[in-house]
Amino acid sequence: VLDSADWTTQMNLPWRHHGGAMTRTEVDELNTRIDLAGLQRYMQAVHNRTRTIVATIDQTTLSQSLDPAFVRQVVVNEGLGLRNHDNLVANYASWDKGKCLLTFGLTHPFQHLGEMETIASMLDIVWE
């Protein structure tokens, strides 16, 4: 999805990594530069693509292991990982496709929502 509509430009992001291992300075830079409307459009595009993929998956596909060479290509060559490439490759290469789909498509976003709620409560921010 990231390459389908020049999303990095729409979100005003000069990098492709997933954000893991960012320093506080890098996070501050992200916060000052990101285009939130572009991020919301990208989120919707990912949502739509995920629904399309899920509708075509058969259950035997979900138990297949991820190909370590493909994982390395995505993490290193395509820029998913910012740092600790070998650790990321080793971790993700141990997953099957079902875990990958459930983690990134379902549980991972809620983990970040919980983090945002925790930070908001520490800053006395109330959201609806």
Side-chain angles (χ1 to χ4, degrees):
V1 174
L2 187 64
D3 294 324
S4 69
D6 197 20
W7 286 108
T8 54
T9 299
Q10 291 188 49
M11 293 184 287
N12 194 32
L13 298 176
W15 54 80
R16 298 176 57 85
H17 62 78
H18 68 9
M22 288 178 75
T23 65
R24 287 182 183 197
T25 301
E26 291 166 333
V27 172
D28 287 344
E29 180 187 355
L30 169 66
N31 288 335
T32 60
R33 77 176 307 130
I34 193 162
D35 181 304
L36 291 177
L39 176 62
Q40 289 177 320
R41 289 190 306 274
Y42 176 67
M43 179 188 68
Q44 188 62 53
V46 170
H47 173 84
N48 293 342
R49 179 71 175 132
T50 302
R51 291 180 63 94
T52 299
I53 291 169
V54 168
T56 65
I57 292 177
D58 66 61
Q59 293 199 0
T60 58
T61 302
L62 296 176
S63 62
Q64 294 174 353
S65 297
L66 297 178
D67 175 17
F70 178 73
V71 172
R72 178 163 290 284
Q73 174 190 327
V74 171
V75 169
V76 179
N77 300 344
E78 295 181 18
L80 174 73
L82 172 61
R83 297 180 179 90
N84 305 317
H85 294 133
D86 290 338
N87 291 342
L88 289 171
V89 171
N91 178 54
Y92 294 142
S94 71
W95 292 13
D96 61 34
K97 292 180 180 181
K99 179 177 180 176
C100 190
L101 176 64
L102 287 173
T103 298
F104 292 121
L106 182 61
T107 61
H108 186 82
F110 285 102
Q111 173 188 348
H112 288 300
L113 181 61
E115 291 168 340
M116 289 184 286
E117 289 175 339
T118 299
I119 292 167
S121 71
M122 293 169 68
L123 297 172
D124 292 324
I125 297 171
V126 178
W127 28 341
E128 300 174 23

